[in-house]
Amino acid sequence: HFYKRMSVFDCITAAPPIEVFQLGRDFAADSNPDKVSLGVGAYRTEQGKPWILPVVKKAEKILAERIEKEEINHEYLPVLGLESFATAATAMLLGDDSPALGESRAFGVQCLSGTGALRNGAEFLKRICGSNIV
């Protein structure tokens, strides 16, 4: 007896392409020697290769050394991120003398990537502030 097996995913249609990635494909396809990439990504050399900032290389070396010495590991961070990092980043952003910090009206959380941070911020505004428009 023959039958067509249905999938719960049969009703899903492909999403439209994400504009910033399409911008990257358009950039790669453009033969103009004076083109400039306006998309996201890494810093690039004159040859178009990713360029790692010297400070990033230094940080990676320090991390590798600390991992080798087992001073740090790859355990999951708490849900709000590494508290010392979030506290230092928030103070750097707002300033050590920020009234909001002094009055405990501001704090930071650690997110994965800029997009992740924007998503978390938008979700906060929707859930806590009731805002549907960001």
PDB file of all heavy atoms in Angstrom, residues 22-47:
ATOM      1  N   GLN A  22      22.516  39.504   1.847  1.00  0.00           N
ATOM      2  CA  GLN A  22      22.386  39.763   0.413  1.00  0.00           C
ATOM      3  C   GLN A  22      23.338  40.884   0.015  1.00  0.00           C
ATOM      4  O   GLN A  22      23.955  40.836  -1.043  1.00  0.00           O
ATOM      5  CB  GLN A  22      20.948  40.124   0.044  1.00  0.00           C
ATOM      6  CG  GLN A  22      20.741  40.320  -1.448  1.00  0.00           C
ATOM      7  CD  GLN A  22      21.088  39.084  -2.270  1.00  0.00           C
ATOM      8  OE1 GLN A  22      20.636  37.991  -1.945  1.00  0.00           O
ATOM      9  NE2 GLN A  22      21.879  39.241  -3.312  1.00  0.00           N
ATOM     10  N   LEU A  23      23.477  41.884   0.877  1.00  0.00           N
ATOM     11  CA  LEU A  23      24.415  42.979   0.627  1.00  0.00           C
ATOM     12  C   LEU A  23      25.836  42.434   0.481  1.00  0.00           C
ATOM     13  O   LEU A  23      26.591  42.854  -0.403  1.00  0.00           O
ATOM     14  CB  LEU A  23      24.342  44.006   1.760  1.00  0.00           C
ATOM     15  CG  LEU A  23      25.188  45.255   1.623  1.00  0.00           C
ATOM     16  CD1 LEU A  23      24.763  46.077   0.412  1.00  0.00           C
ATOM     17  CD2 LEU A  23      25.073  46.096   2.884  1.00  0.00           C
ATOM     18  N   GLY A  24      26.189  41.470   1.314  1.00  0.00           N
ATOM     19  CA  GLY A  24      27.514  40.845   1.220  1.00  0.00           C
ATOM     20  C   GLY A  24      27.697  40.091  -0.084  1.00  0.00           C
ATOM     21  O   GLY A  24      28.765  40.150  -0.702  1.00  0.00           O
ATOM     22  N   ARG A  25      26.661  39.378  -0.521  1.00  0.00           N
ATOM     23  CA  ARG A  25      26.748  38.657  -1.803  1.00  0.00           C
ATOM     24  C   ARG A  25      26.855  39.643  -2.967  1.00  0.00           C
ATOM     25  O   ARG A  25      27.611  39.428  -3.913  1.00  0.00           O
ATOM     26  CB  ARG A  25      25.542  37.739  -1.964  1.00  0.00           C
ATOM     27  CG  ARG A  25      25.593  36.506  -1.065  1.00  0.00           C
ATOM     28  CD  ARG A  25      24.526  35.493  -1.397  1.00  0.00           C
ATOM     29  NE  ARG A  25      23.184  35.947  -1.066  1.00  0.00           N
ATOM     30  CZ  ARG A  25      22.614  35.837   0.129  1.00  0.00           C
ATOM     31  NH1 ARG A  25      23.280  35.288   1.121  1.00  0.00           N
ATOM     32  NH2 ARG A  25      21.386  36.263   0.336  1.00  0.00           N
ATOM     33  N   ASP A  26      26.081  40.731  -2.889  1.00  0.00           N
ATOM     34  CA  ASP A  26      26.147  41.752  -3.942  1.00  0.00           C
ATOM     35  C   ASP A  26      27.544  42.376  -3.991  1.00  0.00           C
ATOM     36  O   ASP A  26      28.084  42.621  -5.068  1.00  0.00           O
ATOM     37  CB  ASP A  26      25.103  42.840  -3.709  1.00  0.00           C
ATOM     38  CG  ASP A  26      23.679  42.350  -3.890  1.00  0.00           C
ATOM     39  OD1 ASP A  26      23.487  41.244  -4.454  1.00  0.00           O
ATOM     40  OD2 ASP A  26      22.753  43.069  -3.462  1.00  0.00           O
ATOM     41  N   PHE A  27      28.131  42.617  -2.815  1.00  0.00           N
ATOM     42  CA  PHE A  27      29.475  43.178  -2.758  1.00  0.00           C
ATOM     43  C   PHE A  27      30.482  42.233  -3.420  1.00  0.00           C
ATOM     44  O   PHE A  27      31.317  42.654  -4.214  1.00  0.00           O
ATOM     45  CB  PHE A  27      29.879  43.448  -1.302  1.00  0.00           C
ATOM     46  CG  PHE A  27      31.300  43.910  -1.141  1.00  0.00           C
ATOM     47  CD1 PHE A  27      31.644  45.231  -1.363  1.00  0.00           C
ATOM     48  CD2 PHE A  27      32.302  43.018  -0.777  1.00  0.00           C
ATOM     49  CE1 PHE A  27      32.947  45.659  -1.222  1.00  0.00           C
ATOM     50  CE2 PHE A  27      33.609  43.436  -0.632  1.00  0.00           C
ATOM     51  CZ  PHE A  27      33.935  44.757  -0.857  1.00  0.00           C
ATOM     52  N   ALA A  28      30.388  40.950  -3.087  1.00  0.00           N
ATOM     53  CA  ALA A  28      31.318  39.968  -3.649  1.00  0.00           C
ATOM     54  C   ALA A  28      31.182  39.882  -5.166  1.00  0.00           C
ATOM     55  O   ALA A  28      32.166  39.682  -5.880  1.00  0.00           O
ATOM     56  CB  ALA A  28      31.089  38.603  -3.011  1.00  0.00           C
ATOM     57  N   ALA A  29      29.977  40.054  -5.683  1.00  0.00           N
ATOM     58  CA  ALA A  29      29.737  39.946  -7.123  1.00  0.00           C
ATOM     59  C   ALA A  29      30.116  41.212  -7.884  1.00  0.00           C
ATOM     60  O   ALA A  29      30.294  41.177  -9.097  1.00  0.00           O
ATOM     61  CB  ALA A  29      28.264  39.626  -7.380  1.00  0.00           C
ATOM     62  N   ASP A  30      30.262  42.325  -7.200  1.00  0.00           N
ATOM     63  CA  ASP A  30      30.575  43.615  -7.844  1.00  0.00           C
ATOM     64  C   ASP A  30      32.046  43.637  -8.251  1.00  0.00           C
ATOM     65  O   ASP A  30      32.933  43.387  -7.442  1.00  0.00           O
ATOM     66  CB  ASP A  30      30.280  44.750  -6.868  1.00  0.00           C
ATOM     67  CG  ASP A  30      30.384  46.124  -7.494  1.00  0.00           C
ATOM     68  OD1 ASP A  30      31.015  46.270  -8.568  1.00  0.00           O
ATOM     69  OD2 ASP A  30      29.847  47.072  -6.907  1.00  0.00           O
ATOM     70  N   SER A  31      32.317  43.938  -9.513  1.00  0.00           N
ATOM     71  CA  SER A  31      33.701  43.945 -10.006  1.00  0.00           C
ATOM     72  C   SER A  31      34.375  45.312  -9.896  1.00  0.00           C
ATOM     73  O   SER A  31      35.543  45.447 -10.249  1.00  0.00           O
ATOM     74  CB  SER A  31      33.725  43.467 -11.457  1.00  0.00           C
ATOM     75  OG  SER A  31      32.950  44.362 -12.260  1.00  0.00           O
ATOM     76  N   ASN A  32      33.682  46.326  -9.403  1.00  0.00           N
ATOM     77  CA  ASN A  32      34.261  47.665  -9.281  1.00  0.00           C
ATOM     78  C   ASN A  32      35.437  47.637  -8.305  1.00  0.00           C
ATOM     79  O   ASN A  32      35.281  47.262  -7.153  1.00  0.00           O
ATOM     80  CB  ASN A  32      33.195  48.655  -8.791  1.00  0.00           C
ATOM     81  CG  ASN A  32      33.695  50.085  -8.792  1.00  0.00           C
ATOM     82  OD1 ASN A  32      34.863  50.358  -8.564  1.00  0.00           O
ATOM     83  ND2 ASN A  32      32.786  51.004  -9.031  1.00  0.00           N
ATOM     84  N   PRO A  33      36.642  48.052  -8.754  1.00  0.00           N
ATOM     85  CA  PRO A  33      37.813  48.006  -7.867  1.00  0.00           C
ATOM     86  C   PRO A  33      37.735  49.015  -6.722  1.00  0.00           C
ATOM     87  O   PRO A  33      38.467  48.885  -5.740  1.00  0.00           O
ATOM     88  CB  PRO A  33      38.985  48.314  -8.808  1.00  0.00           C
ATOM     89  CG  PRO A  33      38.367  49.071  -9.933  1.00  0.00           C
ATOM     90  CD  PRO A  33      36.972  48.550 -10.083  1.00  0.00           C
ATOM     91  N   ASP A  34      36.857  49.997  -6.820  1.00  0.00           N
ATOM     92  CA  ASP A  34      36.732  51.017  -5.778  1.00  0.00           C
ATOM     93  C   ASP A  34      35.562  50.762  -4.836  1.00  0.00           C
ATOM     94  O   ASP A  34      35.164  51.638  -4.069  1.00  0.00           O
ATOM     95  CB  ASP A  34      36.582  52.397  -6.413  1.00  0.00           C
ATOM     96  CG  ASP A  34      37.809  52.791  -7.227  1.00  0.00           C
ATOM     97  OD1 ASP A  34      38.939  52.436  -6.803  1.00  0.00           O
ATOM     98  OD2 ASP A  34      37.644  53.424  -8.271  1.00  0.00           O
ATOM     99  N   LYS A  35      34.995  49.560  -4.892  1.00  0.00           N
ATOM    100  CA  LYS A  35      33.832  49.260  -4.056  1.00  0.00           C
ATOM    101  C   LYS A  35      34.214  49.294  -2.570  1.00  0.00           C
ATOM    102  O   LYS A  35      35.367  49.085  -2.191  1.00  0.00           O
ATOM    103  CB  LYS A  35      33.238  47.905  -4.426  1.00  0.00           C
ATOM    104  CG  LYS A  35      34.158  46.722  -4.145  1.00  0.00           C
ATOM    105  CD  LYS A  35      33.542  45.438  -4.638  1.00  0.00           C
ATOM    106  CE  LYS A  35      34.490  44.269  -4.410  1.00  0.00           C
ATOM    107  NZ  LYS A  35      33.932  43.036  -4.912  1.00  0.00           N
ATOM    108  N   VAL A  36      33.221  49.554  -1.724  1.00  0.00           N
ATOM    109  CA  VAL A  36      33.405  49.588  -0.281  1.00  0.00           C
ATOM    110  C   VAL A  36      32.294  48.744   0.337  1.00  0.00           C
ATOM    111  O   VAL A  36      31.120  48.934   0.022  1.00  0.00           O
ATOM    112  CB  VAL A  36      33.317  51.039   0.263  1.00  0.00           C
ATOM    113  CG1 VAL A  36      33.392  51.059   1.777  1.00  0.00           C
ATOM    114  CG2 VAL A  36      34.416  51.896  -0.350  1.00  0.00           C
ATOM    115  N   SER A  37      32.666  47.827   1.207  1.00  0.00           N
ATOM    116  CA  SER A  37      31.675  46.980   1.860  1.00  0.00           C
ATOM    117  C   SER A  37      30.996  47.747   2.986  1.00  0.00           C
ATOM    118  O   SER A  37      31.653  48.280   3.876  1.00  0.00           O
ATOM    119  CB  SER A  37      32.329  45.719   2.429  1.00  0.00           C
ATOM    120  OG  SER A  37      31.366  44.969   3.145  1.00  0.00           O
ATOM    121  N   LEU A  38      29.667  47.788   2.948  1.00  0.00           N
ATOM    122  CA  LEU A  38      28.897  48.441   3.995  1.00  0.00           C
ATOM    123  C   LEU A  38      28.176  47.423   4.865  1.00  0.00           C
ATOM    124  O   LEU A  38      27.315  47.780   5.672  1.00  0.00           O
ATOM    125  CB  LEU A  38      27.891  49.415   3.368  1.00  0.00           C
ATOM    126  CG  LEU A  38      28.510  50.519   2.510  1.00  0.00           C
ATOM    127  CD1 LEU A  38      27.421  51.352   1.865  1.00  0.00           C
ATOM    128  CD2 LEU A  38      29.449  51.374   3.323  1.00  0.00           C
ATOM    129  N   GLY A  39      28.515  46.170   4.701  1.00  0.00           N
ATOM    130  CA  GLY A  39      27.872  45.115   5.470  1.00  0.00           C
ATOM    131  C   GLY A  39      28.614  44.822   6.756  1.00  0.00           C
ATOM    132  O   GLY A  39      29.636  45.438   7.071  1.00  0.00           O
ATOM    133  N   VAL A  40      28.085  43.864   7.502  1.00  0.00           N
ATOM    134  CA  VAL A  40      28.724  43.460   8.746  1.00  0.00           C
ATOM    135  C   VAL A  40      29.881  42.540   8.451  1.00  0.00           C
ATOM    136  O   VAL A  40      29.997  41.989   7.360  1.00  0.00           O
ATOM    137  CB  VAL A  40      27.719  42.741   9.672  1.00  0.00           C
ATOM    138  CG1 VAL A  40      26.606  43.657  10.074  1.00  0.00           C
ATOM    139  CG2 VAL A  40      27.180  41.488   9.030  1.00  0.00           C
ATOM    140  N   GLY A  41      30.725  42.351   9.401  1.00  0.00           N
ATOM    141  CA  GLY A  41      31.826  41.425   9.238  1.00  0.00           C
ATOM    142  C   GLY A  41      33.084  41.936   9.889  1.00  0.00           C
ATOM    143  O   GLY A  41      33.078  42.866  10.683  1.00  0.00           O
ATOM    144  N   ALA A  42      34.181  41.311   9.519  1.00  0.00           N
ATOM    145  CA  ALA A  42      35.477  41.614  10.108  1.00  0.00           C
ATOM    146  C   ALA A  42      36.129  42.791   9.396  1.00  0.00           C
ATOM    147  O   ALA A  42      35.772  43.129   8.272  1.00  0.00           O
ATOM    148  CB  ALA A  42      36.375  40.382   9.990  1.00  0.00           C
ATOM    149  N   TYR A  43      37.072  43.398  10.092  1.00  0.00           N
ATOM    150  CA  TYR A  43      37.933  44.364   9.415  1.00  0.00           C
ATOM    151  C   TYR A  43      38.664  43.611   8.317  1.00  0.00           C
ATOM    152  O   TYR A  43      38.942  42.415   8.439  1.00  0.00           O
ATOM    153  CB  TYR A  43      38.954  44.958  10.389  1.00  0.00           C
ATOM    154  CG  TYR A  43      38.353  45.902  11.396  1.00  0.00           C
ATOM    155  CD1 TYR A  43      38.146  45.511  12.710  1.00  0.00           C
ATOM    156  CD2 TYR A  43      37.995  47.193  11.027  1.00  0.00           C
ATOM    157  CE1 TYR A  43      37.610  46.382  13.636  1.00  0.00           C
ATOM    158  CE2 TYR A  43      37.450  48.068  11.942  1.00  0.00           C
ATOM    159  CZ  TYR A  43      37.256  47.657  13.249  1.00  0.00           C
ATOM    160  OH  TYR A  43      36.726  48.520  14.151  1.00  0.00           O
ATOM    161  N   ARG A  44      39.001  44.294   7.231  1.00  0.00           N
ATOM    162  CA  ARG A  44      39.624  43.627   6.092  1.00  0.00           C
ATOM    163  C   ARG A  44      40.924  44.320   5.696  1.00  0.00           C
ATOM    164  O   ARG A  44      41.081  45.521   5.864  1.00  0.00           O
ATOM    165  CB  ARG A  44      38.672  43.654   4.889  1.00  0.00           C
ATOM    166  CG  ARG A  44      37.333  43.029   5.182  1.00  0.00           C
ATOM    167  CD  ARG A  44      37.239  41.669   4.593  1.00  0.00           C
ATOM    168  NE  ARG A  44      36.016  41.011   5.019  1.00  0.00           N
ATOM    169  CZ  ARG A  44      35.917  39.719   5.144  1.00  0.00           C
ATOM    170  NH1 ARG A  44      36.942  38.959   4.859  1.00  0.00           N
ATOM    171  NH2 ARG A  44      34.795  39.173   5.543  1.00  0.00           N
ATOM    172  N   THR A  45      41.828  43.528   5.120  1.00  0.00           N
ATOM    173  CA  THR A  45      43.066  44.075   4.573  1.00  0.00           C
ATOM    174  C   THR A  45      42.774  44.659   3.201  1.00  0.00           C
ATOM    175  O   THR A  45      41.660  44.513   2.675  1.00  0.00           O
ATOM    176  CB  THR A  45      44.128  42.964   4.421  1.00  0.00           C
ATOM    177  OG1 THR A  45      43.661  42.039   3.432  1.00  0.00           O
ATOM    178  CG2 THR A  45      44.407  42.267   5.737  1.00  0.00           C
ATOM    179  N   GLU A  46      43.766  45.262   2.591  1.00  0.00           N
ATOM    180  CA  GLU A  46      43.616  45.782   1.227  1.00  0.00           C
ATOM    181  C   GLU A  46      43.294  44.665   0.241  1.00  0.00           C
ATOM    182  O   GLU A  46      42.694  44.900  -0.791  1.00  0.00           O
ATOM    183  CB  GLU A  46      44.903  46.498   0.791  1.00  0.00           C
ATOM    184  CG  GLU A  46      45.179  47.798   1.533  1.00  0.00           C
ATOM    185  CD  GLU A  46      44.181  48.897   1.177  1.00  0.00           C
ATOM    186  OE1 GLU A  46      43.711  48.946   0.023  1.00  0.00           O
ATOM    187  OE2 GLU A  46      43.865  49.694   2.077  1.00  0.00           O
ATOM    188  N   GLN A  47      43.681  43.435   0.587  1.00  0.00           N
ATOM    189  CA  GLN A  47      43.411  42.282  -0.270  1.00  0.00           C
ATOM    190  C   GLN A  47      42.041  41.655   0.020  1.00  0.00           C
ATOM    191  O   GLN A  47      41.691  40.645  -0.579  1.00  0.00           O
ATOM    192  CB  GLN A  47      44.502  41.216  -0.098  1.00  0.00           C
ATOM    193  CG  GLN A  47      45.884  41.658  -0.549  1.00  0.00           C
ATOM    194  CD  GLN A  47      46.543  42.633   0.420  1.00  0.00           C
ATOM    195  OE1 GLN A  47      46.370  42.540   1.627  1.00  0.00           O
ATOM    196  NE2 GLN A  47      47.294  43.587  -0.115  1.00  0.00           N
TER     197      GLN A  47
END
